C-alpha cells in the first residue's frame, strides 16, 4: 500500500521553525492523511505498564515500528501477546512529538491469520447468546457430594493428570470415570460431542468435567464447535468446563453450567473436600454430645425438684406440736371464763377433751414408726429414681449412633442417601455407601441374601 499526499500546510513556508513546531506539523500531517489501517508483524519488546497500557515493537524481516495500545483498547483484545507472536494490528499512524518518533496507536489486535476464526467465534457466540444458551437462569449447580465424577479429555493430556491429582487429594472417596477423546484435531469436536452423549446415556456420574490445557485459538478450536456447545447446554448432567488458562475463553465455557479458569480449578469445583466433610461430621458429633449433656442436666434438675418436695418427719412433728400448743392455749383461755355456766360447760368440755386426748406415749411410738416408714419409703423412692436415671442414661448411650458404629456396625445408604434396613430391594451392581465409626466406603452389590 502506497500513500501519496501533497504538502500544502502553510506552516512549512516559514523561514525558521522550532523543533516542537516541526514535530507538531508532521504529526498533524500524518494523522490527517493516513487513515486507520491493518498492519501485520511480529511482537517484540512487549511491556505492560502498571497503568495497563501496552508498549511494543511491530517488526518483520526488513523493518520495525513502535506501537502503543492504551488500556481501554487492550482490555478488549482477549489475550496478552508475547514476544514472537505474529499479530495483525488495526492502528492509526501518529508522531510522538517529544522524541520525533512516529508510532502506531493500536485500536485492535488479533492473531495473524486467525481473523476468520475469531469472526466465526464471535458470530456463533452471538447466535447462541440470542437463543438463551448463556442465560444464568438455565445454569444448574453441580451437586456438592457426587456419587461419581466424569472427565472428558485426552488420556495423554496433562489436564487429565492435573484433574486426577486434585481429586485424589481433595476427595479420594469419589470414583472418577474417564471418557477419552482427543482435544485437538479435525475429528476432536465430534468425538468430544460423542462422549458427552455417552455420559448422558449411561447416567453413571453426577458431574461432568470437560477439560484440556492451554493453547492457541487453533488448538482450542474444537471447543468452539456448535454441535458440542449445544450438547453441553442440553446435557442432563451438570457440566464444568476447564479449558485452557484463565485468559482463554471458548464457546463451551459460555454454555457450561460452571466455567473454571483451569482444569485443576474445575476438579476443585466438582465436589466438597474430604477435610470439609470430616469437619462437618466433627461438628455434628459435638452438637450430639452437647445435646446429651443437656438432657442429663435436665434429668438431674428434675430429680432435685422431686427430692425437695419430700417433707421430713421432723417438720411434720414440729407442725403437730405447734398445733397442739395452740389448742392448749385456747383451752386455758376458755376455762377462765367469768360465768358459771361457761365454767361448767368448760369443765364438761375439759372432761371430753381429756377423754379425747390421745395417749402421747402411744402416739409418740406410732409417730416414730411412721417416721421410720417414711424414711424407708424415701430411701426406696430415691433408689428407684436413681435406677431410672441410670437406665435412661444407659438407654441414651445405646441409642447413640456413634456408640453403635463403634461396636462394629455400619450405616448403609443407597444412591439417593436413604438408609437401608432390608436387603430385599437391592439389585446386583447397585452402588451403596457405607459409614463406619471411622470413615466410610462405597461398595457395589455382588449378591444379596434374605
Amino acid at each position: 500500500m502506497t500513500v501519496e499526499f501533497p504538502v500544502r500546510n502553510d506552516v512549512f513556508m516559514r523561514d525558521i521553525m522550532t523543533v516542537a513546531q516541526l514535530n507538531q506539523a508532521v504529526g498533524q500531517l500524518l494523522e490527517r492523511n493516513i487513515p486507520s489501517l491493518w498492519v501485520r508483524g511480529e511482537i517484540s519488546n512487549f511491556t505492560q505498564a502498571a497503568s495497563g497500557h501496552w508498549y511494543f515493537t511491530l517488526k518483520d524481516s526488513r523493518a520495525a515500528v513502535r506501537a502503543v495500545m492504551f488500556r481501554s483498547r487492550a482490555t478488549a483484545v482477549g489475550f496478552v501477546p508475547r514476544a514472537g507472536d505474529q499479530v495483525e494490528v488495526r492502528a492509526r499512524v501518529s508522531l510522538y512529538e517529544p522524541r520525533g518518533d512516529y508510532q502506531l496507536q493500536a485500536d485492535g489486535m488479533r492473531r495473524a491469520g486467525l481473523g476468520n476464526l475469531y469472526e466465526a467465534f464471535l458470530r456463533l457466540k452471538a447466535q447462541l447468546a440470542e437463543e438463551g444458551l448463556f442465560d444464568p437462569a438455565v445454569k444448574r449447580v453441580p451437586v456438592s457430594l457426587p456419587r461419581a465424577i466424569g472427565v472428558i479429555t485426552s488420556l495423554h493430556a496433562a489436564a487429565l493428570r492435573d484433574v486426577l491429582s486434585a481429586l485424589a487429594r481433595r476427595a479420594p472417596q469419589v470414583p472418577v470415570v474417564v471418557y477419552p477423546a482427543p482435544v485437538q484435531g479435525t475429528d476432536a469436536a465430534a468425538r468430544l460431542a460423542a462422549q458427552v452423549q455417552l455420559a448422558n446415556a449411561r447416567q453413571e456420574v453426577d458431574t461432568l468435567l470437560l477439560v484440556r490445557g492451554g493453547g492457541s485459538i487453533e488448538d482450542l478450536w474444537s471447543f468452539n464447535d456448535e454441535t458440542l456447545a449445544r450438547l453441553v447446554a442440553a446435557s442432563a448432567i451438570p457440566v464444568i468446563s476447564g479449558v485452557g488458562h484463565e485468559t482463554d475463553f471458548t464457546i463451551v465455557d459460555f454454555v457450561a453450567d460452571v466455567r473454571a479458569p483451569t482444569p485443576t480449578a474445575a476438579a476443585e469445583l466438582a465436589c466438597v473436600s474430604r477435610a470439609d466433610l470430616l469437619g462437618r461430621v466433627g461438628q455434628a458429633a459435638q452438637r450430639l454430645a452437647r445435646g446429651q449433656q443437656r438432657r442429663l442436666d435436665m434429668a438431674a434438675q428434675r430429680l432435685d425438684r422431686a427430692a425437695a418436695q419430700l417433707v421430713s418427719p421432723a417438720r411434720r412433728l414440729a407442725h403437730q406440736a405447734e398445733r397442739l400448743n395452740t389448742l392448749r392455749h385456747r383451752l386455758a383461755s376458755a376455762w377462765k371464763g367469768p360465768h358459771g355456766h361457761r365454767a361448767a360447760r368448760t369443765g364438761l368440755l375439759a372432761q371430753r377433751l381429756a377423754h379425747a386426748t390421745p395417749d402421747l406415749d402411744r402416739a409418740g411410738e406410732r409417730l416414730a414408726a411412721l417416721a421410720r416408714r417414711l424414711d424407708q419409703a424415701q430411701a426406696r423412692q430415691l433408689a428407684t429414681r436413681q435406677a431410672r436415671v441410670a437406665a435412661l442414661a444407659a438407654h441414651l448411650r445405646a441409642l447413640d449412633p456413634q456408640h453403635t458404629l463403634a461396636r462394629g456396625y455400619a450405616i448403609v445408604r443407597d444412591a439417593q442417601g436413604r438408609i437401608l434396613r432390608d436387603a430385599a430391594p437391592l439389585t446386583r451392581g447397585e452402588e451403596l455407601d457405607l459409614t463406619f465409626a471411622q470413615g466410610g466406603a462405597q461398595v457395589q452389590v455382588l449378591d444379596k441374601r434374605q
Side-chain angles (χ1 to χ4, degrees), residues 337-384:
H339 305 290
H341 68 279
R342 181 171 293 182
R345 188 171 180 270
T346 300
L348 179 61
L349 290 175
Q351 292 177 2
R352 292 174 60 186
L353 179 61
H355 181 73
T357 299
D359 188 349
L360 293 179
D361 294 334
R362 292 181 60 189
E365 292 175 359
R366 188 171 180 272
L367 186 60
L370 290 175
R372 288 193 299 272
R373 291 176 59 188
L374 183 60
D375 288 338
Q376 293 171 358
Q378 183 180 9
R380 286 195 300 272
Q381 187 177 14
L382 182 59
T384 301

Side-chain angles (χ1 to χ4, degrees), residues 211-246:
V211 299
R212 72 146 287 160
S216 64
I217 190 172
E218 302 110 310
D219 297 335
L220 304 179
W221 191 250
S222 300
F223 296 87
N224 294 322
D225 182 75
E226 181 178 357
T227 301
L228 175 60
R230 293 186 181 277
L231 285 173
V232 169
S235 172
I237 304 173
V239 178
I240 301 176
S241 69
V243 179
H245 301 301
E246 187 170 358

Side-chain angles (χ1 to χ4, degrees), residues 422-430 445-450:
D422 188 5
L426 296 179
T427 59
R428 185 186 298 273
E430 183 177 359
V445 177
L446 301 179
D447 196 2
K448 68 177 182 177
R449 296 187 296 275
Q450 296 295 335

Side-chain angles (χ1 to χ4, degrees), residues 13 42 71 203 208 216 227-228 259 296 348 350 438 445:
M13 303 304 293
E42 177 184 331
R71 182 178 63 181
Q203 288 294 312
L208 273 177
S216 64
T227 301
L228 175 60
R259 188 253 174 184
L296 289 174
L348 179 61
Q438 298 292 331
V445 177

Side-chain angles (χ1 to χ4, degrees), residues 1-6 33-35 37-38 93:
M1 174 179 177
T2 303
V3 180
E4 296 181 358
F5 54 89
N33 290 277
I34 301 181
L37 71 165
W38 284 92
V93 179

